[in-house]
Coordinates of all heavy atoms in Angstrom, one line a residue:
M1 N 40.3 -15.6 -10.4 CA 41.3 -16.5 -10.4 C 41.9 -16.7 -8.9 O 42.2 -17.7 -8.5 CB 42.4 -16.2 -11.4 CG 43.4 -17.2 -11.5 SD 42.8 -18.6 -12.3 CE 44.2 -19.1 -13.2
L2 N 42.1 -15.6 -8.3 CA 42.7 -15.6 -6.9 C 41.7 -16.3 -5.9 O 42.2 -16.9 -5.0 CB 43.0 -14.2 -6.4 CG 44.1 -13.5 -7.2 CD1 44.3 -12.1 -6.6 CD2 45.4 -14.3 -7.0
A3 N 40.4 -16.2 -6.1 CA 39.5 -16.9 -5.2 C 39.7 -18.4 -5.2 O 39.4 -19.0 -4.2 CB 38.1 -16.5 -5.6
A4 N 40.2 -19.0 -6.2 CA 40.3 -20.4 -6.3 C 41.6 -20.9 -5.5 O 41.6 -22.0 -5.1 CB 40.4 -20.9 -7.7
R5 N 42.5 -20.0 -5.3 CA 43.8 -20.4 -4.6 C 43.6 -21.0 -3.2 O 44.2 -22.0 -2.9 CB 44.7 -19.3 -4.6 CG 45.2 -19.0 -6.0 CD 46.3 -18.0 -6.0 NE 47.5 -18.8 -5.6 CZ 48.7 -18.3 -5.5 NH1 48.9 -17.1 -5.9 NH2 49.7 -19.0 -5.2
P6 N 42.8 -20.4 -2.3 CA 42.7 -21.0 -1.0 C 42.2 -22.5 -1.0 O 42.6 -23.3 -0.2 CB 41.7 -20.1 -0.3 CG 41.8 -18.8 -1.0 CD 42.1 -19.1 -2.4
A7 N 41.3 -22.8 -1.9 CA 40.8 -24.2 -2.0 C 41.9 -25.1 -2.4 O 42.0 -26.2 -2.0 CB 39.6 -24.3 -3.0
L8 N 42.8 -24.6 -3.3 CA 43.9 -25.5 -3.7 C 45.0 -25.6 -2.6 O 45.7 -26.6 -2.6 CB 44.6 -24.8 -5.0 CG 43.7 -24.8 -6.2 CD1 44.4 -24.1 -7.3 CD2 43.4 -26.2 -6.7
A9 N 45.0 -24.7 -1.7 CA 46.0 -24.7 -0.7 C 45.6 -25.4 0.6 O 46.3 -25.4 1.6 CB 46.5 -23.2 -0.4
R10 N 44.4 -26.0 0.6 CA 43.9 -26.7 1.8 C 44.8 -27.8 2.2 O 45.4 -28.5 1.4 CB 42.5 -27.2 1.5 CG 41.4 -26.2 1.4 CD 40.1 -26.7 1.1 NE 39.8 -27.9 1.8 CZ 38.7 -28.6 1.4 NH1 37.9 -28.3 0.5 NH2 38.5 -29.8 2.1
P11 N 45.0 -28.0 3.5 CA 45.9 -29.1 3.9 C 45.3 -30.4 3.5 O 44.1 -30.6 3.4 CB 45.8 -28.9 5.5 CG 45.3 -27.6 5.7 CD 44.5 -27.2 4.6
R12 N 46.2 -31.4 3.3 CA 45.8 -32.7 2.9 C 44.8 -33.3 3.9 O 43.9 -34.0 3.5 CB 47.1 -33.6 2.8 CG 46.8 -35.0 2.4 CD 48.1 -35.8 2.4 NE 47.7 -37.2 2.4 CZ 47.5 -38.0 1.3 NH1 47.6 -37.4 0.1 NH2 47.2 -39.2 1.4
R13 N 45.0 -33.1 5.2 CA 44.1 -33.8 6.1 C 42.7 -33.3 6.0 O 41.8 -34.1 6.2 CB 44.6 -33.5 7.6 CG 44.5 -32.1 8.0 CD 45.0 -32.0 9.5 NE 45.1 -30.6 9.8 CZ 46.2 -29.8 9.6 NH1 47.3 -30.3 9.1 NH2 46.2 -28.6 10.0
D14 N 42.4 -32.1 5.5 CA 41.1 -31.6 5.3 C 40.5 -32.4 4.1 O 39.4 -32.8 4.0 CB 41.0 -30.1 5.0 CG 41.2 -29.3 6.3 OD1 41.1 -29.9 7.4 OD2 41.5 -28.1 6.2
H15 N 41.3 -32.5 3.1 CA 40.9 -33.3 1.9 C 40.6 -34.7 2.2 O 39.6 -35.3 1.8 CB 42.0 -33.2 0.8 CG 41.6 -33.8 -0.5 ND1 40.6 -33.3 -1.3 CD2 42.1 -34.9 -1.1 CE1 40.5 -34.1 -2.4 NE2 41.4 -35.0 -2.3
D16 N 41.5 -35.3 3.0 CA 41.2 -36.7 3.5 C 39.9 -36.8 4.2 O 39.1 -37.7 4.0 CB 42.3 -37.2 4.4 CG 43.6 -37.6 3.7 OD1 43.6 -37.6 2.4 OD2 44.6 -38.0 4.4
H17 N 39.6 -35.8 5.1 CA 38.4 -35.8 5.8 C 37.2 -35.8 4.9 O 36.2 -36.5 5.1 CB 38.4 -34.6 6.8 CG 37.1 -34.5 7.6 ND1 36.8 -35.3 8.6 CD2 36.1 -33.7 7.4 CE1 35.6 -35.0 9.1 NE2 35.1 -34.0 8.4
D18 N 37.2 -34.9 3.9 CA 36.1 -34.8 3.0 C 35.9 -36.1 2.2 O 34.8 -36.5 2.0 CB 36.4 -33.6 2.0 CG 36.4 -32.3 2.6 OD1 35.8 -32.1 3.7 OD2 37.0 -31.3 2.0
R19 N 37.0 -36.7 1.7 CA 36.9 -37.9 1.0 C 36.4 -39.1 1.9 O 35.6 -39.9 1.4 CB 38.2 -38.3 0.4 CG 38.6 -37.4 -0.8 CD 39.9 -37.8 -1.5 NE 40.9 -38.0 -0.5 CZ 42.0 -38.7 -0.8 NH1 42.1 -39.4 -1.9 NH2 43.0 -38.9 0.1
A20 N 36.8 -39.1 3.1 CA 36.4 -40.1 4.0 C 34.9 -40.0 4.3 O 34.2 -41.0 4.4 CB 37.2 -40.1 5.3
R21 N 34.5 -38.8 4.6 CA 33.0 -38.5 4.8 C 32.2 -39.0 3.7 O 31.2 -39.6 3.8 CB 32.8 -37.1 5.1 CG 31.3 -36.7 5.5 CD 31.1 -35.3 5.7 NE 31.9 -34.8 6.9 CZ 31.5 -34.8 8.1 NH1 30.2 -35.2 8.4 NH2 32.2 -34.4 9.1
A22 N 32.6 -38.6 2.4 CA 31.8 -39.0 1.3 C 31.8 -40.5 1.1 O 30.8 -41.1 0.8 CB 32.4 -38.4 0.0
A23 N 33.0 -41.2 1.3 CA 33.0 -42.7 1.2 C 32.1 -43.3 2.3 O 31.5 -44.3 2.0 CB 34.5 -43.1 1.3
L24 N 32.1 -42.7 3.5 CA 31.3 -43.2 4.6 C 29.8 -43.1 4.2 O 29.0 -44.1 4.3 CB 31.6 -42.5 5.8 CG 30.7 -42.8 7.1 CD1 31.0 -44.3 7.5 CD2 31.1 -41.9 8.2
E25 N 29.4 -42.0 3.6 CA 28.0 -41.7 3.2 C 27.6 -42.7 2.1 O 26.4 -43.1 2.1 CB 27.9 -40.3 2.8 CG 27.9 -39.3 4.0 CD 27.9 -37.8 3.5 OE1 27.9 -37.6 2.3 OE2 27.9 -37.0 4.4
R26 N 28.5 -43.1 1.3 CA 28.2 -44.0 0.2 C 28.3 -45.5 0.6 O 28.0 -46.4 -0.2 CB 29.2 -43.8 -1.0 CG 29.0 -42.5 -1.8 CD 29.8 -42.4 -3.0 NE 31.2 -42.6 -2.8 CZ 32.1 -41.7 -2.6 NH1 31.8 -40.4 -2.5 NH2 33.4 -42.0 -2.4
G27 N 28.7 -45.7 1.8 CA 28.8 -47.1 2.3 C 30.1 -47.8 1.9 O 30.1 -49.0 2.0
E28 N 31.1 -47.0 1.5 CA 32.3 -47.6 1.0 C 33.4 -47.7 2.0 O 34.4 -48.3 1.8 CB 32.9 -46.7 -0.2 CG 31.9 -46.7 -1.4 CD 32.4 -45.7 -2.5 OE1 33.4 -45.0 -2.3 OE2 31.7 -45.7 -3.5
A29 N 33.1 -47.1 3.2 CA 34.1 -47.1 4.3 C 33.4 -47.1 5.6 O 32.3 -46.6 5.8 CB 35.0 -45.9 4.2
L30 N 34.1 -47.7 6.6 CA 33.6 -47.6 8.0 C 34.1 -46.4 8.6 O 35.2 -45.8 8.2 CB 34.1 -48.8 8.8 CG 33.7 -50.2 8.3 CD1 34.4 -51.3 8.9 CD2 32.2 -50.4 8.6
P31 N 33.5 -45.9 9.7 CA 34.0 -44.7 10.4 C 35.4 -45.0 11.0 O 35.7 -46.1 11.4 CB 33.0 -44.5 11.5 CG 31.8 -45.2 11.1 CD 32.2 -46.4 10.3
L32 N 36.2 -44.0 11.0 CA 37.6 -44.2 11.6 C 37.6 -44.7 13.0 O 38.4 -45.6 13.3 CB 38.3 -42.8 11.6 CG 39.7 -42.8 12.2 CD1 40.6 -43.7 11.5 CD2 40.2 -41.3 12.1
A33 N 36.7 -44.2 13.9 CA 36.6 -44.7 15.2 C 36.4 -46.2 15.3 O 36.9 -46.9 16.1 CB 35.6 -44.0 16.0
E34 N 35.5 -46.7 14.4 CA 35.2 -48.1 14.4 C 36.4 -48.9 13.9 O 36.7 -50.0 14.5 CB 33.9 -48.4 13.5 CG 33.5 -49.8 13.5 CD 32.2 -50.1 12.7 OE1 31.4 -49.1 12.5 OE2 32.0 -51.2 12.3
V35 N 37.0 -48.5 12.9 CA 38.2 -49.2 12.4 C 39.3 -49.2 13.4 O 39.9 -50.3 13.7 CB 38.7 -48.5 11.1 CG1 40.0 -49.1 10.6 CG2 37.7 -48.7 9.9
L36 N 39.5 -48.1 14.1 CA 40.5 -48.1 15.1 C 40.2 -49.1 16.3 O 41.1 -49.8 16.8 CB 40.7 -46.7 15.7 CG 41.7 -45.8 15.1 CD1 41.7 -44.4 15.6 CD2 43.1 -46.4 15.2
A37 N 38.9 -49.1 16.7 CA 38.5 -50.0 17.7 C 38.8 -51.5 17.3 O 39.2 -52.3 18.2 CB 37.0 -49.8 18.0
R38 N 38.6 -51.8 16.1 CA 38.8 -53.2 15.6 C 40.3 -53.5 15.5 O 40.7 -54.7 15.8 CB 38.2 -53.4 14.3 CG 36.6 -53.4 14.3 CD 36.1 -53.7 13.0 NE 34.7 -53.6 12.9 CZ 34.0 -53.9 11.8 NH1 34.5 -54.4 10.8 NH2 32.7 -53.7 11.8
V39 N 41.1 -52.6 15.0 CA 42.5 -52.9 14.7 C 43.6 -52.5 15.7 O 44.7 -52.9 15.6 CB 42.9 -52.4 13.3 CG1 42.1 -53.0 12.2 CG2 43.0 -50.9 13.3
R40 N 43.2 -51.7 16.7 CA 44.1 -51.2 17.7 C 45.1 -52.3 18.2 O 46.3 -52.1 18.3 CB 43.5 -50.4 18.8 CG 44.5 -49.7 19.6 CD 43.9 -48.7 20.6 NE 43.1 -47.6 20.0 CZ 43.5 -46.5 19.5 NH1 44.8 -46.3 19.5 NH2 42.7 -45.6 19.1
P41 N 44.5 -53.5 18.6 CA 45.4 -54.5 19.1 C 46.5 -55.0 18.1 O 47.6 -55.4 18.5 CB 44.5 -55.7 19.5 CG 43.1 -55.0 19.7 CD 43.1 -53.9 18.7
E42 N 46.2 -54.9 16.9 CA 47.1 -55.3 15.8 C 48.1 -54.2 15.4 O 49.1 -54.5 14.7 CB 46.4 -55.7 14.6 CG 45.4 -56.9 14.8 CD 44.7 -57.2 13.5 OE1 45.3 -57.6 12.5 OE2 43.4 -57.1 13.5
L43 N 47.9 -53.0 15.8 CA 48.8 -51.9 15.4 C 50.2 -52.0 16.0 O 51.1 -51.6 15.4 CB 48.1 -50.5 15.6 CG 46.9 -50.3 14.8 CD1 46.3 -48.9 15.1 CD2 47.1 -50.4 13.3
G44 N 50.2 -52.4 17.2 CA 51.5 -52.6 17.9 C 52.2 -51.3 18.3 O 53.4 -51.3 18.5
G45 N 51.4 -50.3 18.6 CA 52.0 -49.0 19.1 C 51.0 -47.9 19.1 O 49.8 -48.1 19.1
E46 N 51.6 -46.7 19.2 CA 50.7 -45.5 19.3 C 50.5 -44.9 17.9 O 51.5 -44.6 17.2 CB 51.4 -44.5 20.2 CG 50.6 -43.2 20.4 CD 51.3 -42.2 21.3 OE1 52.3 -42.6 22.0 OE2 50.9 -41.1 21.3
V47 N 49.3 -44.6 17.6 CA 48.9 -44.0 16.3 C 49.3 -42.5 16.4 O 48.8 -41.8 17.3 CB 47.4 -44.2 16.0 CG1 47.1 -43.4 14.7 CG2 47.1 -45.6 15.8
V48 N 50.1 -42.0 15.4 CA 50.5 -40.7 15.4 C 50.1 -39.9 14.2 O 50.3 -38.7 14.0 CB 52.1 -40.5 15.6 CG1 52.5 -41.0 17.0 CG2 52.8 -41.3 14.5
G49 N 49.4 -40.6 13.3 CA 48.9 -40.0 12.1 C 48.0 -41.0 11.3 O 48.2 -42.2 11.4
V50 N 47.1 -40.4 10.5 CA 46.2 -41.2 9.7 C 46.0 -40.5 8.3 O 45.8 -39.3 8.3 CB 44.8 -41.3 10.3 CG1 43.9 -42.2 9.4 CG2 44.9 -41.9 11.7
D51 N 46.1 -41.2 7.3 CA 45.8 -40.7 5.9 C 44.6 -41.6 5.4 O 44.5 -42.8 5.8 CB 47.0 -40.8 5.0 CG 48.0 -39.8 5.3 OD1 47.7 -38.7 5.7 OD2 49.2 -40.1 5.1
F52 N 43.9 -41.1 4.4 CA 42.8 -41.8 3.8 C 43.0 -41.7 2.3 O 43.0 -40.7 1.7 CB 41.5 -41.2 4.2 CG 40.3 -42.0 3.7 CD1 39.9 -43.2 4.4 CD2 39.5 -41.5 2.7 CE1 38.8 -43.9 4.0 CE2 38.4 -42.2 2.3 CZ 38.0 -43.4 2.9
D53 N 43.3 -42.9 1.6 CA 43.6 -42.9 0.2 C 42.9 -44.0 -0.5 O 42.5 -45.0 0.1 CB 45.1 -43.1 0.0 CG 45.9 -41.8 0.4 OD1 45.5 -40.7 -0.1 OD2 46.9 -42.0 1.1
R54 N 42.8 -43.9 -1.8 CA 42.3 -44.9 -2.7 C 43.4 -45.7 -3.2 O 44.4 -45.1 -3.7 CB 41.5 -44.3 -3.8 CG 40.6 -45.3 -4.5 CD 39.2 -44.9 -4.3 NE 38.3 -45.7 -5.1 CZ 37.3 -46.4 -4.7 NH1 37.0 -46.4 -3.4 NH2 36.6 -47.1 -5.5
D55 N 43.4 -47.0 -3.2 CA 44.5 -47.9 -3.7 C 43.9 -49.2 -4.2 O 43.1 -49.9 -3.6 CB 45.4 -48.3 -2.5 CG 46.7 -49.0 -3.0 OD1 47.0 -48.9 -4.1 OD2 47.3 -49.7 -2.1
D56 N 44.2 -49.4 -5.5 CA 43.6 -50.6 -6.2 C 42.1 -50.7 -6.1 O 41.6 -51.8 -5.8 CB 44.3 -51.9 -5.7 CG 45.7 -52.0 -6.0 OD1 46.1 -51.5 -7.1 OD2 46.5 -52.6 -5.2
G57 N 41.4 -49.6 -6.2 CA 40.0 -49.6 -6.2 C 39.3 -49.6 -4.9 O 38.1 -49.7 -4.8
R58 N 40.1 -49.6 -3.8 CA 39.4 -49.6 -2.5 C 40.0 -48.5 -1.6 O 41.1 -48.0 -1.8 CB 39.6 -50.9 -1.8 CG 41.0 -51.3 -1.5 CD 41.0 -52.7 -0.8 NE 42.3 -53.3 -1.0 CZ 42.5 -54.6 -0.9 NH1 41.5 -55.4 -0.5 NH2 43.7 -55.1 -1.1
W59 N 39.2 -48.1 -0.6 CA 39.6 -47.0 0.3 C 40.5 -47.7 1.4 O 40.2 -48.7 1.9 CB 38.4 -46.3 0.9 CG 37.7 -45.5 0.0 CD1 36.5 -45.7 -0.6 CD2 38.2 -44.2 -0.6 NE1 36.2 -44.7 -1.5 CE2 37.2 -43.8 -1.5 CE3 39.3 -43.5 -0.4 CZ2 37.3 -42.6 -2.2 CZ3 39.5 -42.3 -1.1 CH2 38.5 -41.8 -2.0
I60 N 41.6 -47.0 1.7 CA 42.6 -47.5 2.7 C 42.8 -46.4 3.8 O 43.0 -45.2 3.4 CB 43.9 -47.8 2.0 CG1 43.7 -48.7 0.8 CG2 44.9 -48.3 3.0 CD1 43.3 -50.1 1.2
Y61 N 42.7 -46.8 5.0 CA 43.3 -46.0 6.1 C 44.7 -46.3 6.3 O 45.1 -47.5 6.4 CB 42.5 -46.2 7.4 CG 41.1 -45.7 7.5 CD1 40.0 -46.5 7.5 CD2 40.9 -44.3 7.7 CE1 38.7 -46.0 7.6 CE2 39.7 -43.8 7.8 CZ 38.6 -44.6 7.8 OH 37.3 -44.1 7.9
E62 N 45.6 -45.3 6.2 CA 47.0 -45.5 6.4 C 47.4 -44.9 7.8 O 47.4 -43.7 8.0 CB 47.8 -44.8 5.3 CG 47.6 -45.4 3.9 CD 48.3 -44.6 2.9 OE1 49.0 -43.7 3.1 OE2 48.1 -45.0 1.7
F63 N 47.6 -45.8 8.7 CA 48.0 -45.4 10.1 C 49.5 -45.3 10.2 O 50.2 -46.3 9.9 CB 47.4 -46.4 11.1 CG 46.0 -46.5 11.2 CD1 45.3 -47.5 10.6 CD2 45.2 -45.5 11.8 CE1 43.9 -47.6 10.6 CE2 43.8 -45.5 11.8 CZ 43.2 -46.6 11.2
K64 N 50.0 -44.2 10.7 CA 51.4 -44.0 11.1 C 51.5 -44.4 12.6 O 50.8 -43.8 13.4 CB 51.9 -42.6 11.0 CG 52.0 -41.9 9.6 CD 51.8 -42.6 8.4 CE 52.0 -41.7 7.2 NZ 50.8 -41.7 6.3
V65 N 52.3 -45.4 12.9 CA 52.3 -45.9 14.3 C 53.8 -45.9 14.8 O 54.7 -46.3 14.0 CB 51.8 -47.4 14.3 CG1 51.9 -48.0 15.7 CG2 50.4 -47.5 13.7
I66 N 54.0 -45.5 16.0 CA 55.3 -45.5 16.6 C 55.2 -46.8 17.5 O 54.5 -46.8 18.4 CB 55.6 -44.3 17.5 CG1 55.6 -43.0 16.6 CG2 56.9 -44.5 18.2 CD1 56.7 -42.9 15.7
G67 N 56.1 -47.7 17.2 CA 56.2 -49.0 18.0 C 56.9 -48.8 19.3 O 57.5 -47.7 19.5
P68 N 57.0 -49.8 20.1 CA 57.6 -49.8 21.4 C 59.1 -49.4 21.3 O 59.6 -48.8 22.2 CB 57.5 -51.2 22.0 CG 56.4 -51.8 21.2 CD 56.3 -51.1 19.9
A69 N 59.8 -49.8 20.2 CA 61.2 -49.5 20.1 C 61.4 -48.1 19.4 O 62.5 -47.7 19.2 CB 61.9 -50.5 19.2
G70 N 60.3 -47.3 19.2 CA 60.4 -46.0 18.7 C 60.5 -45.9 17.2 O 60.7 -44.9 16.6
R71 N 60.3 -47.1 16.5 CA 60.3 -47.1 15.1 C 58.9 -46.8 14.5 O 57.9 -47.2 15.0 CB 60.7 -48.6 14.7 CG 61.0 -48.7 13.2 CD 61.7 -50.0 13.0 NE 62.2 -50.0 11.6 CZ 62.6 -51.1 11.0 NH1 62.6 -52.2 11.6 NH2 63.0 -51.0 9.7
L72 N 59.0 -46.0 13.4 CA 57.7 -45.6 12.7 C 57.3 -46.7 11.7 O 58.2 -47.2 10.9 CB 57.9 -44.3 11.9 CG 56.7 -43.8 11.1 CD1 55.6 -43.4 12.1 CD2 57.1 -42.7 10.2
V73 N 56.1 -47.2 11.8 CA 55.5 -48.2 10.9 C 54.3 -47.7 10.3 O 53.5 -47.0 11.0 CB 55.2 -49.5 11.7 CG1 54.6 -50.5 10.9 CG2 56.5 -50.0 12.4
E74 N 54.1 -47.9 9.0 CA 52.8 -47.5 8.3 C 52.0 -48.8 8.2 O 52.5 -49.8 7.7 CB 53.1 -46.9 7.0 CG 52.0 -46.3 6.3 CD 52.4 -45.6 5.1 OE1 52.8 -44.4 5.1 OE2 52.2 -46.2 4.0
V75 N 50.8 -48.7 8.7 CA 49.9 -49.9 8.6 C 48.7 -49.5 7.7 O 48.0 -48.6 8.0 CB 49.4 -50.3 10.0 CG1 48.5 -51.5 10.0 CG2 50.6 -50.6 11.0
H76 N 48.5 -50.3 6.7 CA 47.4 -50.1 5.7 C 46.3 -51.0 6.1 O 46.4 -52.2 6.2 CB 47.9 -50.4 4.3 CG 48.9 -49.4 3.8 ND1 48.9 -48.9 2.5 CD2 49.9 -48.8 4.4 CE1 49.9 -48.1 2.3 NE2 50.5 -48.0 3.5
V77 N 45.1 -50.4 6.2 CA 43.9 -51.1 6.7 C 42.8 -50.8 5.7 O 42.5 -49.6 5.3 CB 43.5 -50.6 8.1 CG1 42.2 -51.3 8.5 CG2 44.6 -50.9 9.1
D78 N 42.1 -51.9 5.2 CA 41.0 -51.7 4.3 C 39.9 -51.0 5.0 O 39.4 -51.4 6.1 CB 40.5 -53.1 3.9 CG 39.4 -53.0 2.8 OD1 38.3 -52.4 3.1 OD2 39.5 -53.7 1.8
A79 N 39.4 -49.8 4.5 CA 38.5 -49.0 5.2 C 37.1 -49.6 5.2 O 36.3 -49.2 6.1 CB 38.4 -47.6 4.5
A80 N 36.8 -50.5 4.3 CA 35.4 -51.1 4.3 C 35.3 -52.3 5.2 O 34.2 -52.6 5.7 CB 35.1 -51.6 2.9
T81 N 36.4 -53.0 5.5 CA 36.4 -54.2 6.3 C 37.2 -54.2 7.6 O 37.1 -55.1 8.4 CB 36.9 -55.4 5.5 OG1 38.3 -55.2 5.2 CG2 36.2 -55.6 4.2
A82 N 38.0 -53.2 7.8 CA 38.9 -53.0 8.9 C 39.9 -54.2 9.0 O 40.4 -54.5 10.0 CB 38.1 -52.9 10.2
R83 N 40.3 -54.7 7.8 CA 41.3 -55.8 7.7 C 42.6 -55.2 7.5 O 42.8 -54.4 6.5 CB 40.9 -56.8 6.6 CG 41.9 -58.0 6.5 CD 41.4 -59.0 5.6 NE 41.3 -58.5 4.2 CZ 42.3 -58.6 3.3 NH1 43.4 -59.2 3.6 NH2 42.1 -58.2 2.1
V84 N 43.6 -55.5 8.3 CA 45.0 -55.1 8.0 C 45.5 -55.7 6.7 O 45.5 -56.9 6.6 CB 45.9 -55.4 9.2 CG1 47.4 -55.0 8.9 CG2 45.5 -54.7 10.5
L85 N 46.0 -54.9 5.8 CA 46.4 -55.3 4.5 C 47.9 -55.5 4.5 O 48.5 -56.4 3.9 CB 46.0 -54.4 3.4 CG 44.5 -54.2 3.3 CD1 44.2 -53.1 2.3 CD2 43.8 -55.5 2.9
R86 N 48.7 -54.5 5.1 CA 50.1 -54.6 5.1 C 50.7 -53.6 6.1 O 50.1 -52.7 6.5 CB 50.7 -54.4 3.7 CG 50.7 -52.9 3.2 CD 51.4 -52.8 1.9 NE 51.5 -51.4 1.6 CZ 51.1 -50.9 0.4 NH1 50.7 -51.6 -0.5 NH2 51.3 -49.6 0.2
R87 N 52.0 -53.9 6.4 CA 52.8 -53.1 7.3 C 54.0 -52.7 6.6 O 54.6 -53.5 5.9 CB 53.1 -53.9 8.6 CG 52.0 -54.4 9.4 CD 52.5 -55.3 10.5 NE 52.6 -54.7 11.8 CZ 51.5 -54.3 12.5 NH1 50.3 -54.4 12.0 NH2 51.7 -53.8 13.7
R88 N 54.5 -51.5 6.8 CA 55.7 -51.1 6.2 C 56.5 -50.2 7.1 O 56.0 -49.2 7.6 CB 55.4 -50.3 4.9 CG 56.6 -49.9 4.1 CD 56.3 -49.3 2.8 NE 55.7 -48.0 3.0 CZ 54.9 -47.4 2.2 NH1 54.6 -47.9 1.0 NH2 54.4 -46.2 2.4
A89 N 57.7 -50.6 7.5 CA 58.5 -49.8 8.4 C 59.3 -48.8 7.5 O 59.7 -49.1 6.4 CB 59.5 -50.7 9.1
D90 N 59.4 -47.6 8.1 CA 60.2 -46.5 7.4 C 61.6 -46.5 7.9 O 62.0 -47.0 8.9 CB 59.5 -45.1 7.7 CG 58.2 -45.0 6.9 OD1 58.0 -45.7 6.0 OD2 57.5 -44.0 7.3

């Protein structure tokens, strides 16, 4: 039972990486570097974090972006098409 605990305690970013790699291998997502290259001009600031989640049946890259005024914005991008889906300010 104790041997299973480290796997449960893995950081979220490792889990995101595993899911992203599997989605990439299945052709369900583009590589993060390619998506960033396509959407960087639309992000409007510096990327300070990335999550990879499933939403409404599709894979989404969630970029945490600090804008020029220092405000944190979350930008959701379709992982298969690199299309910006929505922006949400915190």
Side-chain angles (χ1 to χ4, degrees):
M1 186 73 145
L2 292 177
R5 290 190 77 172
L8 295 175
R10 286 175 43 189
R12 177 182 165 88
R13 67 180 172 269
D14 287 345
H15 184 65
D16 283 357
H17 175 77
D18 294 339
R19 291 186 305 157
R21 180 181 300 266
L24 178 64
E25 289 172 358
R26 290 188 306 268
E28 298 173 355
L30 296 169
L32 175 59
E34 184 176 337
V35 171
L36 268 173
R38 291 185 189 185
V39 301
R40 191 171 299 278
E42 298 178 63
L43 294 178
E46 181 179 347
V47 175
V48 295
V50 180
D51 289 327
F52 187 75
D53 288 312
R54 192 112 172 131
D55 187 23
D56 292 331
R58 64 178 153 199
W59 290 108
I60 306 293
Y61 284 110
E62 297 176 2
F63 295 102
K64 291 359 178 236
V65 179
I66 299 290
R71 191 167 188 192
L72 180 65
V73 177
E74 190 172 278
V75 182
H76 292 220
V77 177
D78 186 304
T81 65
R83 185 172 62 92
V84 174
L85 301 172
R86 74 174 187 231
R87 302 171 100 64
R88 185 174 68 203
D90 287 342

